[in-house]
């Protein structure tokens, strides 16, 4: 089944538009597809379900993730600006 796309127009502040385009590019999406996904995720509950899952991951494994981050950052912690690597 193919859907018919409808064209619409929105007005955004320049900085909001720039942030949206950057977010779309980071996800390798064109801006229209990015906006479409945001609307679908918001109206179907997919975004809320993802946020709930992410919070559960943090609640259950947050300490481990924090410790891992500190271990990965440790080799770089003692570097001083301008010091030779």
């Amino acid at each position: 089944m193919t859907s018919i796309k409808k064209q619409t127009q929105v007005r955004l502040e320049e900085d909001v538009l720039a942030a949206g385009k950057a977010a779309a590019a980071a996800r390798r999406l064109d801006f229209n597809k990015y906006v479409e996904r945001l609307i679908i995720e918001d109206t179907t509950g997919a975004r809320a379900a993802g946020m709930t899952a992410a919070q559960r991951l943090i609640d259950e494994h947050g300490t481990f993730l924090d410790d891992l981050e500190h271990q990965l950052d440790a080799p770089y912690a003692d570097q001083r600006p301008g010091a030779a690597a």
Side-chain angles (χ1 to χ4, degrees), residues 17-35 37-38:
L17 177 60
K21 286 185 175 186
R27 290 162 179 79
R28 294 189 171 106
L29 297 171
D30 65 50
F31 183 70
N32 288 327
K33 189 62 164 176
Y34 174 68
V35 170
R37 278 195 182 178
L38 288 177

Side-chain angles (χ1 to χ4, degrees):
M1 178 176 149
T2 60
S3 63
I4 298 172
K5 301 273 184 172
K6 297 286 185 175
Q7 185 172 352
T8 188
Q9 182 177 14
V10 295
R11 296 181 193 278
L12 303 171
E13 297 288 332
E14 284 185 38
D15 57 336
V16 172
L17 177 60
K21 286 185 175 186
R27 290 162 179 79
R28 294 189 171 106
L29 297 171
D30 65 50
F31 183 70
N32 288 327
K33 189 62 164 176
Y34 174 68
V35 170
E36 183 178 55
R37 278 195 182 178
L38 288 177
I39 293 169
I40 290 168
E41 289 172 0
D42 188 50
T43 59
T44 62
R47 180 171 298 278
M51 295 302 289
T52 298
Q55 187 61 57
R56 188 171 52 247
L57 177 73
I58 291 168
D59 292 345
E60 293 175 8
H61 304 287
T63 302
F64 169 78
L65 295 171
D66 286 342
D67 291 345
L68 180 60
E69 182 178 22
H70 291 307
Q71 289 175 18
L72 293 173
D73 288 344
Y76 307 103
D78 293 334
Q79 290 185 356
R80 285 166 270 151

